[in-house]
Amino acid sequence: MKAITFGSAMVDIIAVLESDSIEQISLSNAHQQFLLVEPGRKIEASSISTHIGGGGLNTAVSLAKLGCSVSPVVKTGNDASRDHVIDHCKQHSLATGKLLVDENNNTGSAVMIASHDKNAAIFTQRGSNTTLVNNDLEQVSPFAADLVHIAPLSGDSANMLPAVTMQAKQEGAFVSCNPGIRQITTRTNTILTAAKSMNLISINGTEAAALVPCLSALNPELVWSKPDTGEPVLRSQESIVSLRQFCEAFHKNGPENILVTYGSEGAYLFDGHNLHHQPVIPVEVAGTAGAGDAFVSTLAWGLCSKADAQDALLMAAHNASSVVSFVNTTDGLLERAELERRAGL
């Protein structure tokens, strides 16, 4: 299978702190948590390491380990970090012919602070990741891929989502996307336009809830019925909406398959008829970064390969579970044979 991934390339600096070295405050009424650092204090870290990541590269490595021939479309600066990105691609057998250069910005970078539940706080400078334009799309055309996956796009690059999905669809590719909350809330129209060309969209519960008012506006006759007891729901603007009804309404406006993730409660996949549930695979968490990339890329690969929806979900869950047992975003990604063994397929 030939695959192309769009998204970011990042230099990730990951600091892991013991829970007793940094304070955590939880607000139970707001369901929020905060890490507190005393100004001027030097904090000892369990480890500090540098890695290459970003959604465009994480999903590319994931697909390569599953046996795909992968060309990531990511944009870097003309700096030393670009050389590290190229080395990373070569290490993981990724093609480098579609790596783009931005002469005016640095390669994106991030600092991740992981402590307590290991759900890292991230300081990010997106740099060249924000500057994808039409000329870049012309430079990497034609896609000539069976699968095109678009990870979250940053800044002005997000405006390119409809053009990327439309071209991929016209070329006959399976089109997968996980847009992220910033794209959904600031560029809702581009998401809804691009969704018409998607075979799979991946969003979490918060992102799905943000789309509820948009679907209501698109479908004035739509009435959100009261969910049945025990069924999965979304909470949008102080109202409770059935997840199935949301998926059915969204499906009518574009995506063939809709994945909605619920964190520790697992994930749901709507395939146009059935709502499939996949629980989380238990594992000791070292870091959560990259888990979403592993899940959606594996699911897209499975569905593109015509795997049963429940089997594709199971493999996705096992790959994501393996990733969170490592600090960085790619060391835990599984080869196809090991993934199928763990999933019992």
Side-chain angles (χ1 to χ4, degrees):
M1 183 186 297
K2 293 182 178 180
I4 285 181
T5 62
F6 284 80
S8 61
M10 301 289 290
V11 178
D12 294 335
I13 301 171
I14 304 175
V16 180
L17 308 181
E18 295 296 337
S19 296
D20 59 3
S21 68
I22 187 169
E23 191 64 42
Q24 182 187 52
I25 288 183
S26 299
L27 302 181
S28 57
N29 61 331
H31 305 290
Q32 292 177 306
Q33 296 180 337
F34 299 89
L35 297 179
L36 300 183
V37 180
E38 181 183 349
R41 180 186 173 197
K42 184 178 290 186
I43 301 173
E44 292 294 327
S46 301
S47 66
I48 299 177
S49 53
T50 302
H51 309 270
I52 299 298
L57 292 179
N58 293 340
T59 52
V61 174
S62 174
L63 291 169
K65 285 183 172 290
L66 294 172
C68 298
S69 173
V70 190
S71 297
V73 179
V74 297
K75 206 166 188 179
T76 72
N78 190 10
D79 51 20
S81 294
R82 177 176 174 82
D83 295 332
H84 297 315
V85 169
I86 292 173
D87 290 342
H88 181 77
C89 289
K90 291 179 178 178
Q91 176 187 349
H92 294 286
S93 302
L94 306 179
T96 59
K98 296 185 185 295
L99 299 183
L100 302 166
V101 181
D102 182 348
E103 298 288 350
N104 300 313
N105 290 278
N106 294 328
T107 301
S109 57
V111 177
M112 304 182 184
I113 310 298
S115 185
H116 294 273
D117 60 3
K118 308 305 181 186
N119 188 12
I122 303 175
F123 302 86
T124 184
Q125 189 271 325
R126 301 187 184 280
S128 55
N129 291 312
T130 65
T131 62
L132 190 70
V133 294
N134 281 312
N135 287 342
D136 296 323
L137 201 59
E138 294 172 4
Q139 187 175 333
V140 300
S141 298
F143 297 164
D146 304 295
L147 168 62
V148 173
H149 175 72
I150 307 101
L153 298 173
S154 306
D156 291 340
S157 296
N159 295 326
M160 294 299 298
L161 181 62
V164 173
T165 56
M166 186 177 299
Q167 180 170 333
K169 192 67 174 179
Q170 289 174 347
E171 293 187 19
F174 182 100
V175 183
S176 167
C177 180
N178 61 312
I181 189 62
R182 284 182 300 276
Q183 283 180 258
I184 288 173
T185 55
T186 64
R187 291 175 171 81
T188 308
N189 287 339
T190 65
I191 297 296
L192 295 175
T193 299
K196 297 173 183 177
S197 299
M198 294 180 194
N199 297 94
L200 170 66
I201 189 169
S202 173
I203 51 180
N204 62 33
T206 301
E207 294 159 354
L211 285 170
V212 168
C214 307
L215 293 177
S216 296
L218 287 172
N219 304 279
E221 74 285 357
L222 181 60
V223 176
W224 299 105
S225 58
K226 182 179 179 180
D228 293 332
T229 302
E231 74 168 309
V233 298
L234 301 171
R235 288 174 171 80
S236 174
Q237 298 181 347
E238 300 183 357
S239 63
I240 299 177
V241 173
S242 160
L243 175 63
R244 170 177 280 278
Q245 188 180 14
F246 164 81
C247 290
E248 290 173 346
F250 196 17
H251 176 75
K252 291 178 181 177
N253 286 274
E256 180 183 352
N257 297 279
I258 301 164
L259 176 74
V260 182
T261 59
Y262 277 76
S264 61
E265 297 177 25
Y268 292 86
L269 175 68
F270 182 72
D271 62 7
H273 303 284
N274 301 309
L275 189 64
H276 306 271
H277 179 238
Q278 174 57 53
V280 169
I281 307 297
V283 68
E284 182 176 348
V285 177
T288 59
D293 293 327
F295 196 108
V296 68
S297 57
T298 306
L299 179 62
W301 166 79
L303 295 177
C304 185
S305 302
K306 306 301 181 184
D308 176 81
Q310 201 66 55
D311 289 345
L313 275 173
L314 181 60
M315 289 188 288
H318 274 283
N319 217 0
S321 175
S322 180
V323 166
V324 301
S325 63
F326 290 79
V327 170
N328 67 25
T329 58
T330 53
D331 282 355
L333 289 167
L334 299 173
E335 304 279 352
R336 176 175 178 173
E338 175 60 15
L339 181 60
E340 291 176 339
R341 185 192 71 77
R342 293 193 187 190
L345 300 174

